[in-house]
Amino acid sequence: MNSIDDAALADFYHREAAHLDDNELHEWLALLTADVQYRIPVRAVRERGITAHDSDFTDRANFLWENIGTLRTRVRRLDSEFAWAERPPTRTRRLVTNIRRREPASGDTGSETGALTNIAVFCYHGGDPAPVVLTGKRIDTLRLVDGELRLADRLVRLDSTVLGLHALSIFL
């Protein structure tokens, strides 16, 4: 077992949610590794009889498939006057629950740990009285970098097939 304890894991997720909900996107970027992979595949509607939830996702289409360079570009764009879908900015409130450990995909248990989390993100846009709610499971790899936890890999498996947002311009 590595030196990443459950309290450090929970603290990471609390800080990350606070940065995203407070629209502190540059601070959120600082929580990522230089080689981060960030993916949100599309859930595909399949035939009846298939029960494995992981088979519901296609490997041919993604809402997002990003790395540190494209994530930085997205944040710079959101800072600019060209983020029309985010005028006014979407207000979010994240609930991150059911934090549990798993083996990291790399097998490196010295500096990495895997984690699963459930999320519910309430998205309020403009004057709309009711939020769009996105729920799902995140499959993460966290890595110790200079003594601090950083997100090295995230796979988000949303529960819905249709997002209900005009644009996916928030991070999950």
Side-chain angles (χ1 to χ4, degrees):
M1 197 58 158
N2 58 34
S3 61
I4 303 168
D5 63 16
D6 290 345
L9 214 56
D11 180 64
F12 175 86
Y13 286 117
H14 295 156
R15 285 185 297 120
E16 180 190 34
H19 286 318
L20 290 171
D21 285 343
D22 293 340
N23 204 29
E24 297 170 343
L25 300 181
H26 295 278
E27 291 82 354
W28 175 72
L29 285 172
L31 297 176
L32 312 180
T33 63
D35 62 343
V36 68
Q37 291 293 307
Y38 186 96
R39 298 175 316 278
I40 306 175
V42 172
R43 181 180 286 274
V45 177
R46 306 280 184 177
E47 296 178 25
R48 294 190 116 164
I50 298 176
T51 58
H53 292 292
D54 287 344
S55 68
D56 291 350
F57 294 90
T58 179
D59 57 356
R60 297 184 168 161
N62 294 277
F63 291 115
L64 294 177
W65 190 335
E66 308 291 340
N67 59 40
I68 194 65
T70 58
L71 289 167
R72 285 180 180 144
T73 299
R74 281 180 174 274
V75 169
R76 279 194 306 271
R77 185 175 176 282
L78 289 169
D79 285 343
S80 78
E81 71 272 14
F82 299 109
W84 300 299
E86 283 299 297
R87 298 290 181 252
T90 301
R91 296 173 311 282
T92 61
R93 190 65 54 215
R94 282 166 184 73
L95 305 179
V96 181
T97 66
N98 204 13
I99 300 169
R100 53 227 187 266
R101 276 184 194 276
R102 68 171 184 82
E103 283 294 314
S106 68
D108 176 6
T109 57
S111 65
E112 291 186 346
T113 192
L116 301 172
T117 58
N118 292 340
I119 58 164
V121 182
F122 294 78
C123 306
Y124 296 87
H125 194 75
D128 293 342
V132 172
V133 182
L134 300 175
T135 61
K137 174 173 72 171
R138 299 187 305 190
I139 304 164
D140 292 344
T141 299
L142 301 175
R143 182 182 306 144
L144 279 173
V145 177
D146 298 327
E148 297 289 327
L149 274 180
R150 301 283 181 256
L151 180 66
D153 189 78
R154 171 160 291 157
L155 174 63
V156 181
R157 295 190 180 269
L158 293 172
D159 294 324
S160 60
T161 55
V162 177
L163 296 181
L165 297 170
H166 298 293
L168 185 59
S169 51
I170 62 165
F171 299 104
L172 303 172

